[in-house]
Amino acid sequence: MKQKNEAGYTLVLVLLTITLILIFSVTLISNVLNSALQNQKSEKNIQLDQSSRMGVMYVEKEINSANEEAKKAVIKWLNDLLTTDPIPTNAEIAAKYEEKFRVKLVDQEIISSDNTYRFKIDYISITRADNTLTVTYTIIPSLNNVYAKADPEREKTINIKIQEQNR
């Protein structure tokens, strides 16, 4: 009886199997790592977006508060001036309102945020045209105390109508 020479065939089969397992496992590990990295980036973007939204809500609340306080201060100022001549013009009232509004924002310390928030507030301008006060600001969110780059899409503008006072 003649015996077949199969020496080395098992070794080739084992090496081929190991090679295939390594190729598939490297591909699988690569996909898993890419997926995890993509997940981390998505989570970071979501957290930055939520932090930015929190900043906008916070600033709007503080601006509304400063608006109410400025109105009260101007009304008190007008009541104190009722007996004097001449009566202030609308432009003078608007200028006084803007002054009080700015003071209230600074008093409430929202212009210079500290590290207790997950965002910082960058004021670009507070301008007055006619009877409208325009506050333009940018929210810069942070993640793990690292601030994102300034993004023009995070720039917000609020217009506040200065009501004329009845004399």
Side-chain angles (χ1 to χ4, degrees), residues 82-153:
L82 276 178
T83 57
T84 63
D85 278 330
I87 296 174
T89 65
N90 283 336
E92 291 171 332
I93 293 170
K96 189 67 168 180
Y97 171 83
E98 180 183 359
E99 173 191 332
K100 295 295 183 182
F101 182 80
R102 285 178 184 268
V103 167
K104 293 301 175 186
L105 282 182
V106 171
D107 285 349
Q108 293 172 14
E109 297 178 349
I110 68 169
I111 289 180
S112 57
S113 299
D114 57 14
N115 289 334
T116 59
Y117 301 111
R118 292 180 51 189
F119 53 86
K120 71 179 176 181
I121 303 159
D122 182 23
Y123 275 88
I124 297 172
S125 67
I126 298 175
T127 57
R128 181 175 43 93
D130 296 326
N131 284 340
T132 303
L133 195 64
T134 302
V135 182
T136 304
Y137 63 94
T138 303
I139 299 295
I140 303 174
S142 73
L143 186 62
N144 301 328
N145 291 329
V146 176
Y147 286 97
K149 292 180 182 176
D151 185 357
E153 290 183 12

Side-chain angles (χ1 to χ4, degrees), residues 59-71:
V59 171
E60 287 177 356
K61 180 181 129 251
E62 294 300 324
I63 286 174
N64 288 335
S65 175
N67 180 30
E68 292 303 316
E69 292 293 322
K71 282 181 187 177

Side-chain angles (χ1 to χ4, degrees), residues 43-98:
E43 184 178 341
K44 178 182 176 184
N45 288 338
I46 290 170
Q47 287 180 351
L48 287 174
D49 185 53
Q50 291 300 322
S51 180
S52 181
R53 287 181 189 190
M54 286 184 339
V56 168
M57 288 172 48
Y58 175 77
V59 171
E60 287 177 356
K61 180 181 129 251
E62 294 300 324
I63 286 174
N64 288 335
S65 175
N67 180 30
E68 292 303 316
E69 292 293 322
K71 282 181 187 177
K72 289 176 186 175
V74 168
I75 289 172
K76 182 181 181 311
W77 173 72
L78 285 172
N79 287 337
D80 292 344
L81 292 178
L82 276 178
T83 57
T84 63
D85 278 330
I87 296 174
T89 65
N90 283 336
E92 291 171 332
I93 293 170
K96 189 67 168 180
Y97 171 83
E98 180 183 359

